[in-house]
């Protein structure tokens, strides 16, 4: 279908995936979905819809569920079980369990060694594969694009449609090339790249588009770093973000529990190798960032595009002409109670959260641990691994001990303080430095004020109690 | 789904840019397993104080009750994919949102719930703002068939054409059920699946 003859038009990675998944082309395209991930929050009404219509799940073998959003991260010491405070969360989780049972869907639930944040476990299990179309009722589904998949978030009506038909009506998105050149400097990480991109093009800079991250810098990043970048594509309005599959991708997937094995592996790899964008393919939009010029980034406002290099000054609304932009900046600074023109460095903070589908994988925890080693936290600090596997790997490597010795809380896996649905939250008016992906008003709890940053920057804030340039601390092998 | 009929209403003005779905419906209200009560919690953190009292937020003003059109800033509905956002907007009684742009996932979710998104050119949007600031009681007419938003100002009729993809328009106009349409492609889907590579696990 898409083998590249010398005559055919060069295609992008996005176009190759799109073209191989078109089922019907009418007034709107019907696209086939290879992998559907579900969780407790955006699925109940979809299952209810199926039941009301007497429909089955078409491909339970392509549908996988986990529990992550409203799961407590503390164990009740009296019975060694998670301590649920909230009966609605319990009901929602029970409903997912019974729906999965009724419709024959694999659930990585409370007792599973594979439970975790949906965007952490998909790749970990080898479910996420190059060339796939992947959907989930969650906007950070873009994470899976790191494997060269077209992965995007959908609403609950669409969850129901995919459950019933394994298909969706879709409009073909446009191609947006993000060229990442150069080499990262000490103390600067993947999170800083994506924050810098969002700040550069704006929170709606990529509406209607899918990013393809390209260039020297992305080729030299690990899969976990690529996932951090793809994860936040949605924060610039992009429907998805992707990276061409390469040897780094294949090495990561090899031997994952649900990746192809034996002859099927060889066949898969040779197919995957045909997906990268052809020489000469045309992108609708393009931006280039020399990552060697980046500093650690931090947000100051109430959306992820309101980000600055850590030593820069907070912008002044008075310097903005557009009235809508001006008023959103004013509203953001007033919510954050931060004055324009100041530096954020040394701003006192109350809480640090290290976790979320952006930064809760082993390498994120390892980075943070380097900072915690031999130091004590100055503020309440939660470290929440992204999955049971990450937790186990970290504990096997003894990283949990570094956190505990520093006085940080080592919790059970889940979304936790990223969305504050499970009781883990920042108090009204308090400041947190968080490795998650959204600093919207109230995201970490009503009235909570969030600074988004990398695991290194968050850890630096945890041990100093204030916003700190990680490069000012003496850290081994940074 | 009911057919989307032409209607007229006064408007609610909330001219902030980049209103995200966490503001439209905060995450703590996502623990429901149905769609009820969401209208009550629309914009909850702006509408209610910490002690639960009504604030002076626009939705709480007496003259704004029962209005069906929300006029709001750029990139409305960014952030989370929660369909609870359009459910809350529709649950509150809104039928059309007017802005200069909308976020992608929100757009899909809204149209599937027959909440019409009217995207105007910035110059048209400014005219709407000017009209409302001089006459807040202006009545707007939304005509999906003609793709027109119209109103009178100083006894002159203004009418702005808005774009919408023809598939969504047809679904809304005819009250079509998308899932039913997808199910009707059963044969095509089965043929497609027969060609898929299979991995023995
Ligand atoms: S960690 Fe946060 S962003 Fe990621 S899936 Fe969970 S709630 Fe969503």
């Amino acid at each position: 279908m898409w083998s590249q003859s010398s005559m055919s038009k060069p295609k992008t990675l996005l176009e190759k995936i799109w073209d191989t998944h078109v089922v019907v082309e009418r007034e709107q395209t019907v696209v086939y979905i290879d992998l559907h991930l579900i969780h407790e929050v955006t699925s109940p009404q979809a299952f209810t819809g199926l039941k009301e219509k007497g429909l089955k799940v078409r491909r339970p073998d392509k549908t996988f569920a986990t529990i992550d959003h409203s799961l407590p991260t503390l164990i009740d010491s009296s019975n060694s079980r998670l301590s649920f405070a909230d009966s609605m969360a319990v009901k929602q989780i029970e409903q997912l369990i019974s729906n999965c049972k009724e419709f024959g869907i694999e659930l990585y639930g409370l007792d599973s060694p594979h439970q975790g944040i949906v965007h952490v476990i998909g790749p970990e299990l080898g479910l996420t594969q190059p060339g796939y179309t992947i959907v989930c009722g969650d906007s950070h589904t873009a994470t899976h694009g790191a494997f060269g998949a077209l992965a995007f978030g959908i609403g609950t009506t669409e969850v129901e449609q995919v459950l019933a038909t394994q298909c969706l009506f879709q409009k073909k998105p446009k191609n947006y090339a993000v060229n990442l050149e150069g080499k990262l400097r000490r103390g600067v990480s993947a999170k800083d790249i994506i924050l810098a991109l969002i700040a550069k093009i704006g929170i709606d800079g990529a509406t209607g588009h899918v990013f393809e991250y390209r260039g020297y810098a992305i080729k030299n990043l690990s899969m976990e770093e690529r996932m951090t970048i793809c994860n936040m594509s949605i924060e610039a309005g992009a429907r998805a973000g992707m990276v061409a599959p390469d040897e780094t991708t294949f090495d990561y997937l090899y031997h994952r529990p649900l990746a192809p094995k034996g002859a099927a592996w060889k066949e898969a790899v040779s197919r995957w190798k045909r997906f990268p964008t052809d020489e000469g393919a045309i992108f609708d939009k393009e931006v280039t960032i020399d990552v060697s010029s980046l500093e650690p980034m931090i947000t100051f406002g109430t959306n992820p595009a309101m980000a600055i290099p850590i030593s820069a000054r907070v912008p002044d609304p008075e310097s903005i002409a557009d009235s809508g932009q001006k008023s959103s900046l004013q509203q953001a600074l007033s919510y954050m109670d931060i004055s324009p023109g100041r530096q954020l460095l040394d701003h006192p903070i109350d809480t640090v959260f290290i976790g979320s589908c952006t930064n809760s994988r082993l390498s994120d925890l390892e980075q943070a641990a380097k900072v915690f080693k031999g130091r004590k936290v100055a503020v309440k600090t939660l470290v929440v691994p992204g999955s049971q596997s990450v937790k186990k790997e970290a504990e096997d490597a003894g990283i949990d001990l570094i956190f505990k010795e520093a006085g940080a809380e080592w919790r059970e896996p889940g979304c936790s303080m990223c969305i504050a649905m499970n009781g883990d939250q920042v108090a009204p008016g308090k400041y947190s430095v968080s490795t998650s992906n959204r600093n919207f008003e109230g995201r970490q709890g009503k009235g909570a004020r969030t600074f988004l940053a990398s695991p290194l920057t968050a850890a630096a804030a945890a041990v100093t109690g204030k916003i700190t340039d990680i490069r000012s601390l003496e850290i081994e092998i940074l | 789904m009911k057919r989307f009929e032409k209607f007229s209403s006064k408007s609610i003005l909330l001219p902030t840019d980049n209103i995200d779905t966490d503001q439209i419906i905060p995450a703590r209200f996502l623990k429901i397993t149905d769609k009820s009560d969401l209208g009550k919690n629309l914009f909850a953190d702006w509408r209610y104080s910490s002690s639960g009292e009504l604030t002076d937020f626009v939705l709480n003003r007496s003259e704004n009750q029962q209005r069906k059109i929300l006029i709001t800033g750029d990139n409305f509905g960014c952030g989370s994919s929660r369909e609870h956002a359009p459910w809350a907007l529709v649950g509150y009684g809104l039928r059309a949102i007017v802005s200069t742009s909308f976020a992608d996932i929100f757009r899909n979710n809204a149209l599937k719930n027959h909440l019409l998104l009217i995207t105007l050119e910035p110059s048209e949007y400014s005219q709407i703002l000017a009209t409302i600031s001089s006459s807040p009681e202006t009545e707007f007419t939304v005509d999906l068939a003609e793709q027109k938003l119209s109103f009178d100002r100083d006894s002159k009729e203004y009418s702005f054409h808005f774009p919408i993809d023809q598939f969504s328009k047809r679904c809304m106009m005819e009250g079509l059920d998308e899932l039913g349409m997808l199910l009707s492609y059963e044969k095509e889907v089965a043929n497609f699946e027969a060609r898929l590579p299979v991995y023995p696990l």
Side-chain angles (χ1 to χ4, degrees):
Chain A
M1 265 182 296
W2 42 272
S3 63
Q4 202 195 335
S5 79
S6 54
M7 296 301 287
S8 65
K9 175 176 161 285
K11 286 182 181 178
T12 62
L13 166 61
L14 166 66
E15 287 161 347
K16 291 181 188 184
I17 300 179
W18 181 270
D19 291 351
T20 49
H21 288 81
V22 172
V23 177
V24 179
E25 191 98 67
R26 298 274 158 84
E27 54 183 325
Q28 185 91 315
T29 310
V30 177
V31 170
Y32 193 79
I33 304 302
D34 294 312
L35 176 65
H36 186 194
L37 302 170
I38 58 181
H39 62 78
E40 73 276 23
V41 174
T42 53
S43 67
Q45 297 86 351
F47 282 109
T48 305
L50 290 186
K51 288 180 218 172
E52 282 168 3
K53 299 180 187 84
L55 295 168
K56 288 200 303 235
V57 173
R58 180 181 180 89
R59 295 300 297 261
D61 60 325
K62 293 179 183 292
T63 314
F64 297 84
T66 192
I67 302 169
D68 51 7
H69 281 65
S70 54
L71 212 54
T73 54
L74 273 180
I75 301 269
D76 180 344
S77 52
S78 68
N79 59 8
S80 311
R81 299 188 75 93
L82 289 172
S83 52
F84 279 94
D86 181 338
S87 62
M88 281 181 83
V90 173
K91 185 175 164 211
Q92 202 176 47
I93 289 169
E94 280 169 353
Q95 217 172 86
L96 181 67
I97 296 171
S98 83
N99 283 331
C100 287
K101 208 163 160 196
E102 178 176 347
F103 289 94
I105 294 167
E106 180 91 53
L107 167 67
Y108 300 111
L110 300 182
D111 303 322
S112 166
H114 300 305
Q115 176 270 333
I117 304 174
V118 61
H119 311 309
V120 176
I121 69 167
E124 222 168 56
L125 286 164
L127 283 169
T128 302
Q129 293 174 22
Y132 267 11
T133 46
I134 302 178
V135 296
C136 174
D138 193 287
S139 59
H140 293 101
T141 307
T143 314
H144 307 263
F147 291 80
L150 174 58
F152 53 93
I154 56 176
T156 300
T157 300
E158 291 171 310
V159 170
E160 181 183 340
Q161 293 174 351
V162 178
L163 287 171
T165 68
Q166 206 60 29
C167 290
L168 280 177
F169 287 112
Q170 285 291 304
K171 253 169 73 181
K172 189 173 177 175
K174 295 190 183 134
N175 294 286
Y176 197 141
V178 179
N179 306 311
L180 300 174
E181 303 299 346
K183 210 171 157 231
L184 283 174
R185 288 188 296 182
R186 184 180 156 269
V188 188
S189 64
K191 181 68 163 280
D192 303 305
I193 298 180
I194 186 64
L195 285 174
L197 171 68
I198 301 162
K200 186 177 170 99
I201 69 168
I203 185 172
D204 58 353
T207 306
H209 292 74
V210 165
F211 285 137
E212 183 184 330
Y213 300 99
R214 302 157 59 80
Y216 175 85
I218 200 86
K219 290 199 188 85
N220 284 291
L221 294 183
S222 70
M223 286 316 294
E224 298 198 347
E225 293 170 307
R226 293 178 189 182
M227 283 188 248
T228 297
I229 292 181
C230 288
N231 173 274
M232 288 187 72
S233 303
I234 181 76
E235 311 310 338
R239 200 61 201 285
M242 42 198 354
V243 178
D246 60 8
E247 291 304 322
T248 307
T249 322
F250 309 146
D251 287 349
Y252 177 100
L253 282 174
Y254 188 63
H255 275 159
R256 295 274 159 186
L258 298 174
K261 302 274 174 340
W265 169 261
K266 284 201 183 125
E267 187 273 327
V269 171
S270 70
R271 212 160 34 84
W272 293 341
K273 284 185 174 163
R274 286 181 276 160
F275 276 99
T277 294
D278 298 329
E279 193 79 40
I282 293 167
F283 288 86
D284 303 279
K285 260 182 162 179
E286 196 155 358
V287 66
T288 300
I289 293 181
D290 176 3
V291 305
S292 64
S293 68
L294 298 181
E295 274 192 51
M297 298 288 293
I298 190 156
T299 63
F300 59 86
T302 52
N303 74 47
M306 295 181 182
I308 48 175
I310 194 138
S311 61
R313 290 178 187 281
V314 174
D316 188 344
E318 292 312 316
S319 66
I320 293 176
D322 181 276
S323 70
Q325 279 176 23
K326 184 178 189 157
S327 82
S328 32
L329 183 56
Q330 275 162 342
Q331 187 175 336
L333 295 183
S334 128
Y335 180 85
M336 294 294 288
D337 194 18
I338 285 179
S339 36
R342 64 160 291 171
Q343 275 190 320
L344 290 177
L345 284 175
D346 293 336
H347 191 292
I349 55 145
D350 307 283
T351 307
V352 167
F353 172 61
I354 296 175
S356 90
C357 56
T358 316
N359 284 127
S360 64
R361 299 178 182 85
L362 189 64
S363 57
D364 299 313
L365 304 184
E366 284 169 346
Q367 292 237 327
K370 281 182 200 161
V371 184
F372 284 99
K373 194 160 189 179
R375 294 187 171 85
K376 293 277 180 217
V377 298
V379 293
K380 180 184 171 74
T381 300
L382 252 65
V383 184
V384 184
S387 68
Q388 296 290 350
S389 321
V390 172
K391 180 168 183 260
K392 184 169 182 307
E393 283 174 317
E395 289 175 353
D396 289 348
I399 294 174
D400 60 321
L401 298 178
I402 299 177
F403 293 124
K404 288 176 193 159
E405 273 160 25
E409 299 177 39
W410 176 246
R411 296 286 188 95
E412 293 298 307
C415 296
S416 180
M417 221 182 248
C418 169
I419 190 163
M421 284 183 74
N422 70 338
D424 298 343
Q425 53 185 24
V426 179
K430 299 289 182 194
Y431 290 96
S432 91
V433 176
S434 176
T435 66
S436 54
N437 41 50
R438 285 189 175 138
N439 51 347
F440 295 150
E441 284 183 28
R443 173 77 177 189
Q444 295 196 288
K446 188 165 172 158
R449 295 166 171 154
T450 303
F451 298 113
L452 299 176
S454 72
L456 283 174
T457 301
V463 298
T464 57
K466 54 190 187 182
I467 293 177
T468 300
D469 188 336
I470 179 68
R471 298 167 300 180
S472 68
L473 299 181
E474 269 178 41
I475 314 281
E476 255 179 89
I477 27 175
L478 243 187
Chain B
M1 281 266 185
K2 287 217 296 252
R3 289 162 189 265
F4 190 96
E5 310 279 355
K6 180 170 166 176
F7 73 97
S8 298
S9 166
K10 293 170 186 169
S11 68
I12 303 174
L13 180 63
L14 180 58
T16 310
D17 284 356
N18 301 317
I19 293 181
D20 58 79
T21 52
D22 272 85
Q23 307 318 312
I24 299 173
I25 186 82
R28 61 184 181 282
F29 301 111
L30 308 186
K31 289 176 204 157
I32 49 167
T33 48
D34 55 16
K35 301 176 190 177
S36 59
D37 272 354
L38 282 166
K40 194 174 83 203
N41 294 315
L42 176 67
F43 294 115
D45 286 348
W46 290 347
R47 232 163 123 197
Y48 307 106
S49 71
S50 329
S51 51
E53 278 138 30
L54 294 182
T55 63
D56 63 358
F57 183 61
V58 280
L59 253 58
N60 294 334
R61 297 194 194 137
S62 58
E63 70 273 17
N64 280 342
Q65 308 307 310
Q66 313 295 326
R67 296 191 174 182
K68 298 186 176 66
I69 301 173
L70 179 71
I71 297 181
T72 188
D74 217 28
N75 195 32
F76 184 77
C78 59
S80 152
S81 62
R82 60 190 70 166
E83 197 164 325
H84 307 68
W87 291 338
L89 291 158
V90 170
Y92 177 84
L94 291 165
R95 296 187 56 204
I97 318 271
V98 177
S99 177
T100 42
S101 67
F102 296 92
D104 282 337
I105 306 181
F106 176 78
R107 173 191 303 278
N108 283 342
N109 286 340
L111 294 175
K112 287 188 167 51
N113 287 281
H114 291 198
L115 175 63
L116 182 61
L117 304 184
I118 299 180
T119 312
L120 297 181
E121 293 299 323
S123 60
E124 297 167 336
Y125 181 77
S126 308
Q127 290 190 56
I128 299 258
L129 290 192
T131 304
I132 299 174
S133 84
S134 60
S135 0
E137 298 298 297
T138 303
E139 180 112 349
F140 293 89
T141 299
V142 173
D143 185 343
L144 175 56
E146 297 289 324
Q147 297 177 222
K148 258 176 30 190
L149 174 71
S150 41
F151 57 97
D152 289 338
R153 184 182 177 189
D154 304 331
S155 29
K156 198 175 145 212
E157 192 188 319
Y158 289 79
S159 179
F160 296 146
H161 186 268
F162 58 85
I164 180 171
D165 78 84
Q166 293 309 298
F167 178 71
S168 300
K169 177 176 174 179
R170 191 160 77 85
C171 288
M172 289 178 74
M173 293 289 301
E174 298 176 21
L176 294 179
D177 160 30
E178 274 191 20
L179 178 52
M181 294 167 74
L182 281 173
L183 285 164
S184 74
Y185 295 127
E186 158 61 32
K187 215 175 85 212
E188 287 86 345
V189 179
N191 286 340
F192 183 92
E193 284 180 330
R195 300 198 308 265
L196 284 178
V198 198
Y199 304 134
L201 291 176

